[in-house]
Amino acid sequence: MTQKERTINELRQVKDSVYDHPNNKDLTEVEQNLMNELNYKATLILKIEKLLTEKEVPLNVKSLYAFSIEELESVWTLWTAND
């Protein structure tokens, strides 16, 4: 097994451990859906923040938290369309 294959397998194990977090079995379906939605929104905010920081666009990061998921997806799509 090459180093790259070993690294990919380690990443898959980390991903599996995150997605199968033991606390999730205690959540109801509604709570799990809310958690997934919040995690998705947070991921979008972090990606947009990193992208705009790399492009040296001045922004107030706190303002991103007021955006809906649809608005964040639109911002992400617009800024990554030409990449």
Side-chain angles (χ1 to χ4, degrees):
M1 182 180 291
T2 67
Q3 177 65 26
K4 184 176 179 180
E5 289 171 332
R6 209 173 19 237
T7 303
I8 290 171
N9 285 336
E10 290 169 358
L11 288 173
R12 286 182 181 140
Q13 289 174 352
V14 169
K15 177 184 165 203
D16 290 343
S17 69
V18 169
Y19 283 110
D20 296 331
H21 195 274
N23 291 340
N24 287 349
K25 64 184 174 188
D26 295 333
L27 299 176
T28 67
E29 184 178 348
V30 171
E31 291 170 330
Q32 186 61 53
N33 288 338
L34 286 172
M35 185 69 71
N36 291 342
E37 188 175 311
L38 288 172
N39 286 337
Y40 179 61
K41 184 175 182 178
T43 301
L44 281 172
I45 290 170
L46 290 173
K47 285 181 173 184
I48 292 168
E49 178 184 0
K50 181 179 179 193
L51 175 75
L52 296 179
T53 301
E54 287 173 354
K55 295 185 184 260
E56 298 180 2
V57 175
L59 79 139
N60 178 356
V61 178
K62 291 181 181 179
S63 66
L64 293 175
Y65 290 91
F67 287 24
S68 69
I69 289 177
E70 292 79 16
E71 291 168 327
L72 291 168
E73 289 172 336
S74 295
V75 170
W76 179 253
T77 302
L78 289 170
W79 278 92
T80 58
N82 294 329
D83 287 348

